[in-house]
Amino acid sequence: EPEVTQTPSHQVTQMGQEVILRCVPISNHLYFYWYRQILGQKVEFLVSFYNNEISEKSEIFDDQFSVERPDGSNFTLKIRSTKLEDSAMYFCASSEDTGSYEQYFGPGTRLTVT
Amino acid sequence: KNQVEQSPQSLIILEGKNCTLQCNYTVSPFSNLRWYKQDTGRGPVSLTIMTFSENTKSNGRYTATLDADTKQSSLHITASQLSDSASYICVVKEGTYKYIFGTGTRLKVLA
C-alpha cells in the first residue's frame, strides 16, 4: 500500500541553524500539508500546498518557514533559523484531492533544537 | 476563534468494553469532521470523515456521529481491544485547505 515517507526520522540541530525536512507524498496525490506537534500538545496545521504554491498557511507559518516541491516527488519544509521552540514532531501529509478525501500522514520527523 | 474541544482528556477501560469520546467544535466555515487514531510517536490515521449532511458513519468497531446543529460529534468504540490504546483526535476542516485539530482523548485499554 502506498505511504507517505519522511526523512530524517530525527534531526538534532543547533539554534540559529537552517534545517530542511523532507517528505515524499503518495505519487498520485496533488495536495500536500505540513503539521507540527509539540511534545504533549495537539497537532497544529502549518501549511497546505497545491499546484506549486501555498494555498493556505497558519499564523505559525511565518517568514522563517518555507515549503518547496523541488521535483516531482519531494516536498520539503525549510526552517531558516531554528529556535528552541521549533522543537517538535513535524508531520507531512498528502491527499488526492481536497473536499472529503482522506489525508495520509507520514511517520513524522522529530526535530530537536539545542 | 475556531476551536475543537474533546472530552474526556483520558480514559481507561477494560478490554471488551465500549466507550464514547466527545468532540465539540466552533469552526466556520465548516467543511467536514474527521476522527483520527494516533499511536504514540506516529502520524494520525484516518478513521472516519463526515460531511455536514451525515449523521452517522461506521468503520468496523468505530462509529462516529455528527450533530451539525449543536456542533457536536462522538466516536463510539465497541468491544475494545488492547490495540485500541492510542490518542483519538477530532479534526474539523475549515474551508478548503485548513484543518483544526482537537487536543485528543488518550485511551488506555487494559487486559
Side-chain angles (χ1 to χ4, degrees):
Chain A
E1 187 176 321
E3 57 182 17
V4 177
T5 59
Q6 290 185 242
T7 54
S9 56
H10 191 188
Q11 172 96 46
V12 181
T13 190
Q14 287 193 322
M15 201 165 53
Q17 295 295 304
E18 173 183 288
V19 293
I20 298 177
L21 310 183
R22 291 185 165 78
C23 167
V24 179
I26 294 172
S27 61
N28 64 329
H29 285 187
L30 301 176
Y31 292 80
F32 314 114
Y33 310 84
W34 282 103
Y35 297 87
R36 80 171 184 192
Q37 186 174 30
I38 295 169
L39 188 63
Q41 297 187 24
K42 66 179 180 179
V43 175
E44 298 172 291
F45 169 81
L46 291 178
V47 67
S48 59
F49 191 86
Y50 168 71
N51 201 25
N52 279 320
E53 58 182 33
I54 290 173
S55 42
E56 182 117 27
K57 61 183 181 178
S58 71
E59 317 76 57
I60 303 167
F61 194 88
D62 60 23
D63 294 341
Q64 292 297 316
F65 292 90
S66 62
V67 289
E68 202 177 33
R69 189 153 161 83
D71 52 44
S73 57
N74 288 285
F75 178 50
T76 62
L77 174 70
K78 183 195 289 187
I79 309 175
R80 255 178 275 283
S81 177
T82 50
K83 307 186 196 68
L84 293 176
E85 54 265 35
D86 292 328
S87 294
M89 185 77 110
Y90 288 81
F91 292 107
C92 171
S94 70
S95 63
E96 196 176 328
D97 203 334
T98 186
S100 293
Y101 283 80
E102 274 203 37
Q103 223 176 73
Y104 294 86
F105 283 76
T109 291
R110 180 166 297 285
L111 176 66
T112 302
V113 182
T114 61
Chain B
K1 185 183 175 182
N2 286 336
Q3 281 187 314
V4 177
E5 305 282 347
Q6 290 186 245
S7 61
Q9 267 191 322
S10 61
L11 185 61
I12 300 174
I13 61 174
L14 291 176
E15 189 179 12
K17 297 296 186 186
N18 303 336
C19 66
T20 300
L21 315 180
Q22 302 290 344
C23 172
N24 297 327
Y25 62 91
T26 53
V27 177
S28 180
F30 174 91
S31 181
N32 56 55
L33 184 144
R34 301 159 185 241
W35 282 94
Y36 285 89
K37 178 185 179 187
Q38 186 180 25
D39 292 312
T40 303
R42 308 289 296 273
V45 174
S46 179
L47 297 175
T48 64
I49 302 172
M50 300 180 73
T51 59
F52 187 87
S53 57
E54 293 175 299
N55 298 122
T56 305
K57 198 165 224 182
S58 291
N59 176 5
R61 295 181 296 103
Y62 301 103
T63 300
T65 66
L66 174 63
D67 185 334
D69 292 330
T70 60
K71 299 189 173 155
Q72 295 179 325
S73 175
S74 67
L75 180 71
H76 187 74
I77 305 173
T78 56
S80 59
Q81 300 174 358
L82 297 178
S83 58
D84 291 335
S85 295
S87 285
Y88 290 84
I89 307 173
C90 177
V91 181
V92 178
K93 189 176 181 189
E94 175 196 328
T96 308
Y97 302 110
K98 193 173 179 181
Y99 294 81
I100 312 293
F101 282 66
T103 49
T105 292
R106 188 179 297 276
L107 175 66
K108 178 100 175 140
V109 181
L110 300 178

